[in-house]
Amino acid sequence: MSDKQDLRVVTPAFRVSFPNVFKPRASFKDQDPTYNIQMLFPENGEYPKDLKTSDGKPINLTKFGTDLKPLKRAMAAACKAKWGEKENWPKFKHKAIRNGTEEKSELDQYKGMLFINAKSKFKPGVIDYDQREILDESEFFAGAWARATLNVYTYDNSFGKGVQFGLQNIQLLAHDDSLAGKKNAKDDFDVIDGFDEDIEGEGFDDEEELDF
């Protein structure tokens, strides 16, 4: 059981991770499909300084705030509405704001980051910096920077008690390197017009030797 409330908050800029915002997906076999995203926030509040919007305009992400205090205040308000004064709040089994360095040390992009999961049964609106709707899924990818509106609510079920974030809408702010490691097609083909002889394997004078 969850207590949905109209506690809506706008996040600071975050780096997009594992986005699933165009089609609903179930994480487990018997789970209802949802739209979801993981949001990575620099723990030290410092953002890259050479980022650009999708149409090439320089952008300073610090203008959107650098800390998570508004989210924490909304979480506190939700808890107070559900359980009263702070001394009556239960001990939460799962944190809503999690430490990427500690929990996902195997993933480089999570080091030095705090991360939040947000999900919704309803499709979020996704727009770009100029407030144009994004329909091309390739424009919104893991590694880009965005901000989102979230609603905050409490839950009390078989998994325990705590606070969660509901995903409302998303605004793409800046492009960055893809976390998937896939290169842009333009980077692959802008200069390559044939096989580079400098990278031929040494010792293979006859193509018949290349048995693979």
Side-chain angles (χ1 to χ4, degrees), residues 129-201:
Y129 186 73
D130 293 316
Q131 299 191 342
R132 294 171 297 206
E133 184 179 8
I134 296 177
L135 300 175
D136 183 354
E137 296 184 27
S138 66
E139 282 293 304
F140 190 83
F141 55 87
W145 293 83
R147 63 175 177 163
T149 51
L150 309 176
N151 68 297
V152 186
Y153 59 94
T154 59
Y155 64 89
D156 183 351
N157 54 36
S158 59
F159 295 101
K161 300 176 182 180
V163 185
Q164 283 185 326
F165 294 99
L167 180 60
Q168 299 291 308
N169 295 301
I170 303 169
Q171 183 179 30
L172 173 65
L173 299 176
H175 279 175
D176 202 344
D177 293 336
S178 171
L179 295 180
K182 185 177 180 180
K183 297 183 69 176
N184 190 297
K186 293 180 180 179
D187 297 331
D188 272 351
F189 298 109
D190 59 352
V191 296
I192 299 176
D193 55 10
F195 183 71
D196 187 347
E197 295 182 358
D198 291 336
I199 62 172
E200 285 192 30

Side-chain angles (χ1 to χ4, degrees), residues 39 52 58 63 73 77 81 85 87 90 101 109 115 139 141 151 155 159 163 187 194 198 212:
M39 301 171 282
K52 296 181 179 180
K63 66 184 289 185
R73 286 195 290 267
E85 297 303 317
E87 57 267 23
T101 303
Q109 65 265 31
F115 73 98
E139 282 293 304
F141 55 87
N151 68 297
Y155 64 89
F159 295 101
V163 185
D187 297 331
D198 291 336
F212 57 80

Side-chain angles (χ1 to χ4, degrees), residues 20-141:
N20 183 51
V21 298
F22 293 98
K23 296 177 183 178
R25 182 180 303 168
S27 300
F28 303 100
K29 182 178 180 181
D30 297 326
Q31 190 180 53
D32 292 333
T34 62
Y35 299 90
N36 50 73
I37 192 173
Q38 284 195 352
M39 301 171 282
L40 310 184
F41 301 90
E43 192 170 5
N44 59 8
E46 296 181 3
Y47 290 86
K49 301 185 184 303
D50 57 350
L51 296 176
K52 296 181 179 180
T53 62
S54 57
D55 56 1
K57 299 175 183 177
I59 185 171
N60 183 355
L61 295 182
T62 59
K63 66 184 289 185
F64 303 105
T66 59
D67 64 55
L68 302 179
K69 289 180 181 178
L71 277 71
K72 292 179 179 180
R73 286 195 290 267
M75 292 164 63
C79 289
K80 186 172 182 179
K82 173 67 174 178
W83 293 295
E85 297 303 317
K86 188 174 182 179
E87 57 267 23
N88 298 321
W89 297 359
K91 185 175 181 179
F92 301 140
K93 183 178 180 180
H94 303 288
K95 292 184 178 180
I97 301 176
R98 300 158 65 181
N99 188 298
T101 303
E102 295 176 358
E103 295 193 38
K104 294 184 179 288
S105 58
E106 73 281 5
L107 299 176
D108 288 341
Q109 65 265 31
Y110 281 76
K111 293 178 181 178
M113 296 287 194
L114 300 174
F115 73 98
I116 289 173
N117 293 314
K119 63 181 180 179
S120 175
K121 293 181 179 179
F122 306 100
K123 184 178 180 180
V126 184
I127 61 174
D128 67 10
Y129 186 73
D130 293 316
Q131 299 191 342
R132 294 171 297 206
E133 184 179 8
I134 296 177
L135 300 175
D136 183 354
E137 296 184 27
S138 66
E139 282 293 304
F140 190 83
F141 55 87

